[in-house]
C-alpha cells in the first residue's frame, strides 16, 4: 500500500479550487517516474515544484503546482528547449 496524503473535503463535499489535490513525496515521485531522492534534491536545489511543509518529515505538493511545473518544462523540440534554457540564464 502506498503511503500518501488524501484530500479532506469540507462537509459539503466541495473542494476549494485553490487547494487542489495534495500529493505526498512518494506519490509525486511515482507520478513523475523519479525517486524520492530526486524529489529531495529538487527541494534542496529549488528545482522542483512548489511544496508544502506539513510537518517535520511530511512534504505535500498541490497537484495544480505539479502540473504547472511540468507544463513549464514541456517542449515540442530540442531546439525549443535550448532556446528556453538560454532565455532563462
Amino acid at each position: 500500500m502506498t503511503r500518501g496524503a488524501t484530500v479532506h473535503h469540507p462537509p459539503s463535499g466541495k473542494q476549494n479550487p485553490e487547494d487542489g489535490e495534495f500529493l505526498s513525496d512518494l506519490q509525486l515521485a511515482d507520478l513523475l517516474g523519479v525517486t524520492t531522492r530526486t524529489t529531495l534534491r529538487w527541494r534542496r536545489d529549488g528545482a522542483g515544484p512548489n511544496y508544502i511543509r506539513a510537518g517535520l518529515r511530511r512534504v505535500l505538493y498541490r497537484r495544480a503546482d505539479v502540473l504547472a511545473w511540468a507544463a513549464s518544462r514541456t517542449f515540442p523540440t530540442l531546439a525549443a528547449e535550448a532556446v528556453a534554457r538560454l532565455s532563462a540564464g
Side-chain angles (χ1 to χ4, degrees):
M1 185 168 146
T2 302
R3 287 180 27 203
T6 56
V7 179
H8 297 283
H9 298 286
S12 67
K14 294 183 180 178
Q15 184 178 356
N16 182 345
E18 291 182 15
D19 290 341
E21 179 182 2
F22 293 99
L23 302 172
S24 70
D25 194 43
L26 183 58
Q27 289 171 320
L28 174 70
D30 287 345
L31 178 69
L32 297 176
V34 299
T35 65
T36 55
R37 181 173 282 209
T38 296
T39 63
L40 173 63
R41 183 174 36 85
W42 287 345
R43 286 194 307 277
R44 182 192 66 214
D45 298 344
N50 290 337
Y51 65 93
I52 299 164
R53 174 63 66 186
L56 289 176
R57 291 187 280 175
R58 185 109 169 116
V59 173
L60 298 174
Y61 299 86
R62 283 189 180 94
R63 183 177 291 274
D65 290 340
V66 171
L67 295 176
W69 175 82
S72 73
R73 286 156 181 76
T74 302
F75 306 98
T77 64
L78 288 172
E81 180 183 6
V83 168
R85 284 180 190 235
L86 289 174
S87 299

